[in-house]
Amino acid sequence: MSADAPIGVFDSGIGGLSVLRALRAALPGEDFVYLADTAHAPYGERGDAFVADRSLAVARQLHDRHGIKAMVVACNTATAAAIAPLRQAWPALPLVGVEPALKPAAAQTRTGRVGVMATRGTLGSTRFRALRESLAHRVTYVQQPCDGLAEAVEQDDAMKIIALCSVYTGAMGRFGIQNGDIDTLVLGCTHYPFATGVLRGLVGPEVQLVETGEPVARQTQRLLSNAGLLCGRPRGRHSLLATGPSEGLQAAAARWLPPQA
Ligand code: DGL
């Protein structure tokens, strides 16, 4: 494996751009190949077997066609369903997954009530249940499956994003910093950071929103450094690919990513 090779990043669609943004900021000298599985998005309500099959296919494309030196699974649903088979398929490849940031949220909450928005697939997974149970003695997690929200973000459908976010936050209970309020909200799907403006308006200014881009970028940096695979070039580039329609991906990248030098 060469330090000059790119890092592969994938998601069902545009959500992983929230992770790519953090990766680019933390690792400015690296090249990235981002692959959105838009022909099969969204993953969240599809079931484990489907998501695992798609994750393996997308990872194979990144590995075989682009000679990647590391891979970031920039999707909570894919990580929950497929991180183990992915590790098995490429045991020598540095691999980083994404999972809802329950641990940082547990460290930050004052009221002890943490909201978790994620896909049905993520919340129903054994992996998520184990994570939640390992921290449950300290905190109450109010979890909310957000059917349709990743798709609305994918379609950039502002009215639908507002409607769904208001139903889902409404169902979770009261937000704020008083006793009994949810004071910390975990965005457990990489699409949801793109709805931050709407969510902030609904939960108020005092609630902490927690996402995973930065910790994932730090972990990627650590793994590359340990493997002697950090690239020394001054400025890297990213390319954006999709298995299906790519207009939404290009538009989202133009809106959410800083321009390439
Ligand atoms: N962005 C993904 C996640 O983090 C999946 C959303 C979807 O495809 O439903 O879970």
Side-chain angles (χ1 to χ4, degrees), residues 38 107 149 196:
T38 55
L149 183 53
T196 293

Side-chain angles (χ1 to χ4, degrees), residues 3 41 60 66 156 227 239 250:
R60 180 155 296 115
H66 300 281
D156 195 20
S239 47
Q250 301 301 340

